[in-house]
Amino acid sequence: MKIKWWLLLLLISALGLAACQSNANGSEEIKEEKSKEEVKEEVEIDEKKFAVNKEVTEIEVLTWEGDQYVTTIEDELLIEDLVYALENAEINYTWTVSWAGPDYKLLFKHEDEVLYEIGYCNTTQNFEGGTTGRYWEFDQLYKVDIELPIEQP
């Protein structure tokens, strides 16, 4: 009779332990989902989208490394098209991509005031997953392929 009780207690304990473990796994999955949601919210909050609050009158082009002056773009139509494209662009993230980085630094200016700074690549970047574009900042690649009139050395 004692053996039956011990077997019954052992069976109940095993079932109780299994139930606790499956509940714990369910809780972890919920926690994992929440943390993914929290990360998604953080990314949305941290996402920096191109926006200027004044008319861009020129774009000063500097080398990415060393900030050497290259040229100034003053073509109003090109500037207007580029600003519109960047303000409405889809953004792809590049934080997992290993690459050399942009070739130039673009300073979007209103007269002498710098309104915005962004990186520019000579060629369209094409990363895995369909991430393409020429304009980059803080691990974000803007899906814009407008080529700028910059003479290559």
Side-chain angles (χ1 to χ4, degrees), residues 68-119:
Q68 298 295 315
Y69 175 83
V70 176
T71 191
T72 299
I73 299 168
E74 296 174 322
D75 180 333
E76 291 178 30
L77 186 57
L78 175 61
I79 292 171
E80 194 174 294
D81 288 347
L82 181 57
V83 167
Y84 179 82
L86 289 170
E87 286 178 336
N88 295 287
E90 180 181 326
I91 292 176
N92 292 297
Y93 297 96
T94 60
W95 55 59
T96 60
V97 177
S98 178
W99 66 299
D103 301 299
Y104 298 102
K105 186 180 296 182
L106 304 180
L107 305 179
F108 288 76
K109 298 171 93 177
H110 175 79
E111 298 170 4
D112 289 332
E113 178 186 0
V114 176
L115 304 174
Y116 208 88
E117 183 179 313
I118 195 168

Side-chain angles (χ1 to χ4, degrees), residues 7-21:
L7 285 173
L8 183 60
L9 281 173
L10 183 62
L11 182 62
I12 291 172
S13 298
L15 289 173
L17 182 60
C20 288
Q21 285 179 343

